[in-house]
Amino acid sequence: GPARGAQMLSLMLALGIVSRLSFGWISDHIGGFRTLLLSSLLQGLALLMFVPFNGLVSLYLISGLFGLFQGGIVPSYAVIVREYFPASEAGTRISAVITASIFGMALGGWMSGAIFDWTGSYRAAFLNGIAWNALNLALAGFLWTRAKGAQRVLAAA
């Protein structure tokens, strides 16, 4: 029901605060791209766990895990910009990345609701989220590999 859903959302958002602080610390130690990849992978696993489970206790636990994992993605974008671009470009690049991220999150929320309305099932909505998360992982992995290659070229020069 709506009350249980609100409680799960509150749990997710509260643990999202813990997540942002934790992944900030992680990012300081392993860098922005690795943090993005780790957080995105963990978020995808949490989304995947929503598919087979529908008991109240398991949904609370998975909501908590999702909250712990999702908070590292967006802040890592700013760290990546800081690591790979000049400071003079940071404002423009970070605002563009955050704008695109917020647009994507808004679209994802709407899309999942539309999928639920269309299918009558959250399963399809979660599978949609998993697919978009996999795309995020693939893009981040590609960009990280490319950035590492560029660093090797610069180091060799």
Side-chain angles (χ1 to χ4, degrees):
R4 297 287 185 204
Q7 288 174 340
M8 286 181 211
L9 183 60
S10 296
L11 174 65
M12 191 183 308
L13 293 173
L15 290 174
I17 295 167
V18 174
S19 176
R20 279 173 174 67
L21 295 171
S22 301
F23 276 104
W25 182 85
I26 291 169
S27 182
D28 287 343
H29 290 82
I30 67 172
F33 267 121
R34 287 186 179 118
T35 301
L36 174 61
L37 292 168
L38 174 64
S39 184
S40 190
L41 177 67
L42 292 172
Q43 176 182 271
L45 292 174
L47 281 171
L48 195 58
M49 290 183 351
F50 275 113
V51 175
F53 296 104
N54 61 3
L56 198 55
V57 172
S58 60
L59 290 176
Y60 273 102
L61 289 172
I62 297 166
S63 293
L65 286 175
F66 184 84
L68 283 174
F69 299 153
Q70 58 83 27
I73 294 175
V74 174
S76 68
Y77 295 148
V79 175
I80 292 167
V81 169
R82 181 192 73 204
E83 290 173 343
Y84 290 93
F85 295 99
S88 62
E89 299 176 10
T92 302
R93 291 184 184 272
I94 290 172
S95 62
V97 169
I98 299 299
T99 298
S101 179
I102 291 171
F103 176 76
M105 287 185 283
L107 180 64
W110 172 84
M111 189 183 301
S112 293
I115 290 170
F116 175 80
D117 290 345
W118 184 44
T119 64
S121 167
Y122 282 112
R123 180 181 172 84
F126 282 121
L127 292 173
N128 176 61
I130 292 164
W132 283 103
N133 195 80
L135 177 63
N136 179 56
L137 262 171
L139 287 171
F142 169 75
L143 291 172
W144 182 51
T145 303
R146 192 174 151 131
K148 283 179 60 175
Q151 284 177 338
R152 277 189 233 123
V153 169
L154 289 174

